[in-house]
Amino acid sequence: MTATATSTPPPAAPKVSGGKGGRTRFSLPVILLIVAGALLALSAVRAITGAQDVTSAGQISAALAMAVPIGLAGLGGLWSERAGVVNIGLEGMMILGTFFGAWAGWQTNPWIGVLAGVVGGMLGGLLHAVATVTFGVDHIISGIAINILALGFTTYFAKLWFNTGEAATKGGSPKQSPPAEDITTVTLPGVSDWLHSVEQHHWFFVSDVAGVVGGLITNVSVLTLVALALFVATFFILWKTAFGLRLRSAGENPVAAESLGVNVYRYKYIAVIASGGLAGLGGAFLSLVTSHIYNEGQTGGRGYIGLAAMIFGNWRPGGLAMGAGLFGFADALQLRNGGDSVHALLLLLVVVLAVLAAWKLYRKKFVPGAISGAIAAVVLVWYLATDTVPTEFVSATPYIVTLLVLSLSAQRLRMPKADGMRYRKGEGK
């Protein structure tokens, strides 16, 4: 993701022998092995530190709920950037989704609210598309402007619509809406209770698996299942259809795409409007599932974190889902006031940094290796000298994890070649 400083996309980069553009592709068995390794590490941390909440069903359920809006924002960014348009405005589109979702949800029913949230986000996406695609405005500037406009719009109309008449009598105020009805949740009967009983035994790894699986199948919102379906649909649409190939070509080399008859403007518009709709759906999830009301400042930067999850996932749905899960887990820690859990995870961070330092030194990258080792030593001293983590640090956990993950994964990233570049119609003729 870069600022729009160049008007003409560069020629396609030469292919790297022995791979696909130099990128590493993980097969399903490798991904499952990584997940199992991560769960084994968390099990060891729980057993050593006694922090039982690290892999509890409650923590995992909260992590899933927090991962969905982050993942939907990231999915919106993926659609937009795969077509070559940087969408910093995801945060503003999420804000519009929270506002319109709650506004329609408390007056009618939550599913109408979901639709209204999507439409609100799409309007933000349309504005971004007009500014960047038609008028060639710098993508970063347009996105920041949308974030500011969305915040001002919702602040003004919240005072106008939620603080008077029936809304005020039902709990509305200048900063929040009246509550909306719940969206249906689903639980696997019998299995959930059995997993809960296994979790309570605190067996190494077995109880941790039970806690994780139990959190994923207990009181899951139907809207969460819709979000999962959207991830699968995005993969098939963008990578398995002619439509998706044309859309991605607009983000890789729009000059070549136009010379082959692709209407680049049309695909950019579709992608950016879809991006806004997905971000708006993430916002509606926050106001209708997570809290049942609109609150000023409710998104809390999750649009930006979604963008970070997309970058961590290398602009692909599978990696994005893993990034959203990681950031959702960190977000759930601060929502559950998990000072003890965060303190326990410091031990895991020490191990990760020590392994990273050893690997850097083995590759003869002495400066990064020394820095990683020094940070590991500082974190270890912190862990040994304290019993918990201050609330202020716990609240910052999602943002610290975001910075840490992006810094560790930066070397393997490969964005679409024309991402963020101005394109004027006719350059391919």
Side-chain angles (χ1 to χ4, degrees), residues 278-296:
L278 289 164
L281 179 59
F285 187 96
L286 284 172
S287 60
L288 295 172
V289 176
T290 304
S291 62
H292 308 297
I293 60 173
Y294 161 81
N295 265 318
E296 188 175 306

PDB file of all heavy atoms in Angstrom, residues 278-296:
ATOM      1  N   LEU A 278     -18.656  -3.939   2.228  1.00  0.00           N
ATOM      2  CA  LEU A 278     -18.098  -4.897   3.188  1.00  0.00           C
ATOM      3  C   LEU A 278     -17.671  -4.202   4.478  1.00  0.00           C
ATOM      4  O   LEU A 278     -17.907  -4.716   5.581  1.00  0.00           O
ATOM      5  CB  LEU A 278     -16.917  -5.628   2.566  1.00  0.00           C
ATOM      6  CG  LEU A 278     -17.277  -6.639   1.457  1.00  0.00           C
ATOM      7  CD1 LEU A 278     -16.053  -7.022   0.653  1.00  0.00           C
ATOM      8  CD2 LEU A 278     -17.925  -7.875   2.071  1.00  0.00           C
ATOM      9  N   ALA A 279     -17.054  -3.026   4.352  1.00  0.00           N
ATOM     10  CA  ALA A 279     -16.683  -2.264   5.550  1.00  0.00           C
ATOM     11  C   ALA A 279     -17.933  -1.836   6.311  1.00  0.00           C
ATOM     12  O   ALA A 279     -17.968  -1.875   7.553  1.00  0.00           O
ATOM     13  CB  ALA A 279     -15.848  -1.051   5.174  1.00  0.00           C
ATOM     14  N   GLY A 280     -18.982  -1.421   5.587  1.00  0.00           N
ATOM     15  CA  GLY A 280     -20.239  -1.061   6.228  1.00  0.00           C
ATOM     16  C   GLY A 280     -20.863  -2.236   6.948  1.00  0.00           C
ATOM     17  O   GLY A 280     -21.451  -2.084   8.030  1.00  0.00           O
ATOM     18  N   LEU A 281     -20.751  -3.443   6.362  1.00  0.00           N
ATOM     19  CA  LEU A 281     -21.253  -4.643   7.032  1.00  0.00           C
ATOM     20  C   LEU A 281     -20.488  -4.888   8.320  1.00  0.00           C
ATOM     21  O   LEU A 281     -21.071  -5.275   9.346  1.00  0.00           O
ATOM     22  CB  LEU A 281     -21.127  -5.846   6.095  1.00  0.00           C
ATOM     23  CG  LEU A 281     -21.592  -7.199   6.649  1.00  0.00           C
ATOM     24  CD1 LEU A 281     -23.073  -7.134   7.045  1.00  0.00           C
ATOM     25  CD2 LEU A 281     -21.369  -8.300   5.613  1.00  0.00           C
ATOM     26  N   GLY A 282     -19.173  -4.668   8.292  1.00  0.00           N
ATOM     27  CA  GLY A 282     -18.381  -4.791   9.518  1.00  0.00           C
ATOM     28  C   GLY A 282     -18.827  -3.800  10.574  1.00  0.00           C
ATOM     29  O   GLY A 282     -18.900  -4.127  11.764  1.00  0.00           O
ATOM     30  N   GLY A 283     -19.144  -2.580  10.160  1.00  0.00           N
ATOM     31  CA  GLY A 283     -19.652  -1.592  11.105  1.00  0.00           C
ATOM     32  C   GLY A 283     -21.001  -1.982  11.667  1.00  0.00           C
ATOM     33  O   GLY A 283     -21.257  -1.841  12.870  1.00  0.00           O
ATOM     34  N   ALA A 284     -21.894  -2.486  10.805  1.00  0.00           N
ATOM     35  CA  ALA A 284     -23.202  -2.934  11.267  1.00  0.00           C
ATOM     36  C   ALA A 284     -23.072  -4.083  12.260  1.00  0.00           C
ATOM     37  O   ALA A 284     -23.854  -4.190  13.213  1.00  0.00           O
ATOM     38  CB  ALA A 284     -24.057  -3.355  10.069  1.00  0.00           C
ATOM     39  N   PHE A 285     -22.079  -4.939  12.052  1.00  0.00           N
ATOM     40  CA  PHE A 285     -21.842  -6.033  12.997  1.00  0.00           C
ATOM     41  C   PHE A 285     -21.518  -5.471  14.380  1.00  0.00           C
ATOM     42  O   PHE A 285     -22.012  -5.976  15.400  1.00  0.00           O
ATOM     43  CB  PHE A 285     -20.691  -6.906  12.494  1.00  0.00           C
ATOM     44  CG  PHE A 285     -20.456  -8.155  13.287  1.00  0.00           C
ATOM     45  CD1 PHE A 285     -21.002  -9.350  12.895  1.00  0.00           C
ATOM     46  CD2 PHE A 285     -19.691  -8.131  14.453  1.00  0.00           C
ATOM     47  CE1 PHE A 285     -20.794 -10.515  13.633  1.00  0.00           C
ATOM     48  CE2 PHE A 285     -19.469  -9.270  15.195  1.00  0.00           C
ATOM     49  CZ  PHE A 285     -20.028 -10.475  14.786  1.00  0.00           C
ATOM     50  N   LEU A 286     -20.701  -4.425  14.428  1.00  0.00           N
ATOM     51  CA  LEU A 286     -20.341  -3.826  15.715  1.00  0.00           C
ATOM     52  C   LEU A 286     -21.568  -3.265  16.436  1.00  0.00           C
ATOM     53  O   LEU A 286     -21.712  -3.419  17.651  1.00  0.00           O
ATOM     54  CB  LEU A 286     -19.317  -2.711  15.508  1.00  0.00           C
ATOM     55  CG  LEU A 286     -17.876  -3.126  15.226  1.00  0.00           C
ATOM     56  CD1 LEU A 286     -17.041  -1.910  14.857  1.00  0.00           C
ATOM     57  CD2 LEU A 286     -17.271  -3.836  16.431  1.00  0.00           C
ATOM     58  N   SER A 287     -22.443  -2.598  15.703  1.00  0.00           N
ATOM     59  CA  SER A 287     -23.574  -1.932  16.355  1.00  0.00           C
ATOM     60  C   SER A 287     -24.770  -2.843  16.582  1.00  0.00           C
ATOM     61  O   SER A 287     -25.611  -2.549  17.440  1.00  0.00           O
ATOM     62  CB  SER A 287     -24.014  -0.713  15.530  1.00  0.00           C
ATOM     63  OG  SER A 287     -24.423  -1.082  14.230  1.00  0.00           O
ATOM     64  N   LEU A 288     -24.868  -3.964  15.839  1.00  0.00           N
ATOM     65  CA  LEU A 288     -26.043  -4.824  15.958  1.00  0.00           C
ATOM     66  C   LEU A 288     -25.768  -6.170  16.607  1.00  0.00           C
ATOM     67  O   LEU A 288     -26.686  -6.795  17.134  1.00  0.00           O
ATOM     68  CB  LEU A 288     -26.650  -5.051  14.566  1.00  0.00           C
ATOM     69  CG  LEU A 288     -27.208  -3.800  13.884  1.00  0.00           C
ATOM     70  CD1 LEU A 288     -27.590  -4.112  12.442  1.00  0.00           C
ATOM     71  CD2 LEU A 288     -28.413  -3.253  14.643  1.00  0.00           C
ATOM     72  N   VAL A 289     -24.525  -6.616  16.590  1.00  0.00           N
ATOM     73  CA  VAL A 289     -24.184  -7.909  17.182  1.00  0.00           C
ATOM     74  C   VAL A 289     -23.357  -7.729  18.448  1.00  0.00           C
ATOM     75  O   VAL A 289     -23.685  -8.284  19.508  1.00  0.00           O
ATOM     76  CB  VAL A 289     -23.432  -8.803  16.176  1.00  0.00           C
ATOM     77  CG1 VAL A 289     -22.987 -10.107  16.829  1.00  0.00           C
ATOM     78  CG2 VAL A 289     -24.300  -9.085  14.963  1.00  0.00           C
ATOM     79  N   THR A 290     -22.300  -6.958  18.352  1.00  0.00           N
ATOM     80  CA  THR A 290     -21.383  -6.806  19.485  1.00  0.00           C
ATOM     81  C   THR A 290     -22.012  -6.041  20.640  1.00  0.00           C
ATOM     82  O   THR A 290     -21.878  -6.415  21.800  1.00  0.00           O
ATOM     83  CB  THR A 290     -20.091  -6.101  19.035  1.00  0.00           C
ATOM     84  OG1 THR A 290     -19.515  -6.835  17.948  1.00  0.00           O
ATOM     85  CG2 THR A 290     -19.094  -6.028  20.170  1.00  0.00           C
ATOM     86  N   SER A 291     -22.735  -4.942  20.328  1.00  0.00           N
ATOM     87  CA  SER A 291     -23.254  -4.096  21.416  1.00  0.00           C
ATOM     88  C   SER A 291     -24.739  -3.787  21.311  1.00  0.00           C
ATOM     89  O   SER A 291     -25.322  -3.283  22.267  1.00  0.00           O
ATOM     90  CB  SER A 291     -22.473  -2.775  21.454  1.00  0.00           C
ATOM     91  OG  SER A 291     -22.664  -2.070  20.249  1.00  0.00           O
ATOM     92  N   HIS A 292     -25.371  -4.015  20.164  1.00  0.00           N
ATOM     93  CA  HIS A 292     -26.807  -3.764  19.930  1.00  0.00           C
ATOM     94  C   HIS A 292     -27.158  -2.284  19.884  1.00  0.00           C
ATOM     95  O   HIS A 292     -28.332  -1.946  19.773  1.00  0.00           O
ATOM     96  CB  HIS A 292     -27.680  -4.456  20.980  1.00  0.00           C
ATOM     97  CG  HIS A 292     -27.381  -5.909  21.144  1.00  0.00           C
ATOM     98  ND1 HIS A 292     -27.548  -6.823  20.130  1.00  0.00           N
ATOM     99  CD2 HIS A 292     -26.889  -6.610  22.198  1.00  0.00           C
ATOM    100  CE1 HIS A 292     -27.196  -8.020  20.551  1.00  0.00           C
ATOM    101  NE2 HIS A 292     -26.780  -7.923  21.792  1.00  0.00           N
ATOM    102  N   ILE A 293     -26.189  -1.386  19.966  1.00  0.00           N
ATOM    103  CA  ILE A 293     -26.441   0.042  19.860  1.00  0.00           C
ATOM    104  C   ILE A 293     -25.306   0.695  19.087  1.00  0.00           C
ATOM    105  O   ILE A 293     -24.220   0.123  18.962  1.00  0.00           O
ATOM    106  CB  ILE A 293     -26.562   0.735  21.241  1.00  0.00           C
ATOM    107  CG1 ILE A 293     -25.265   0.560  22.045  1.00  0.00           C
ATOM    108  CG2 ILE A 293     -27.767   0.243  22.016  1.00  0.00           C
ATOM    109  CD1 ILE A 293     -25.237   1.347  23.340  1.00  0.00           C
ATOM    110  N   TYR A 294     -25.598   1.894  18.571  1.00  0.00           N
ATOM    111  CA  TYR A 294     -24.532   2.727  18.008  1.00  0.00           C
ATOM    112  C   TYR A 294     -23.931   3.564  19.126  1.00  0.00           C
ATOM    113  O   TYR A 294     -24.644   4.162  19.925  1.00  0.00           O
ATOM    114  CB  TYR A 294     -25.099   3.650  16.925  1.00  0.00           C
ATOM    115  CG  TYR A 294     -24.202   4.837  16.628  1.00  0.00           C
ATOM    116  CD1 TYR A 294     -23.100   4.712  15.801  1.00  0.00           C
ATOM    117  CD2 TYR A 294     -24.464   6.087  17.213  1.00  0.00           C
ATOM    118  CE1 TYR A 294     -22.269   5.794  15.545  1.00  0.00           C
ATOM    119  CE2 TYR A 294     -23.642   7.177  16.958  1.00  0.00           C
ATOM    120  CZ  TYR A 294     -22.550   7.023  16.127  1.00  0.00           C
ATOM    121  OH  TYR A 294     -21.733   8.102  15.870  1.00  0.00           O
ATOM    122  N   ASN A 295     -22.602   3.600  19.188  1.00  0.00           N
ATOM    123  CA  ASN A 295     -21.873   4.440  20.125  1.00  0.00           C
ATOM    124  C   ASN A 295     -20.872   5.285  19.365  1.00  0.00           C
ATOM    125  O   ASN A 295     -20.193   4.769  18.462  1.00  0.00           O
ATOM    126  CB  ASN A 295     -21.116   3.596  21.171  1.00  0.00           C
ATOM    127  CG  ASN A 295     -21.920   3.438  22.450  1.00  0.00           C
ATOM    128  OD1 ASN A 295     -22.539   4.386  22.919  1.00  0.00           O
ATOM    129  ND2 ASN A 295     -21.922   2.232  22.992  1.00  0.00           N
ATOM    130  N   GLU A 296     -20.756   6.536  19.717  1.00  0.00           N
ATOM    131  CA  GLU A 296     -19.763   7.384  19.079  1.00  0.00           C
ATOM    132  C   GLU A 296     -18.359   6.824  19.356  1.00  0.00           C
ATOM    133  O   GLU A 296     -18.027   6.463  20.473  1.00  0.00           O
ATOM    134  CB  GLU A 296     -19.868   8.817  19.606  1.00  0.00           C
ATOM    135  CG  GLU A 296     -19.006   9.809  18.851  1.00  0.00           C
ATOM    136  CD  GLU A 296     -19.229  11.236  19.334  1.00  0.00           C
ATOM    137  OE1 GLU A 296     -20.399  11.673  19.346  1.00  0.00           O
ATOM    138  OE2 GLU A 296     -18.237  11.894  19.704  1.00  0.00           O
TER     139      GLU A 296
END
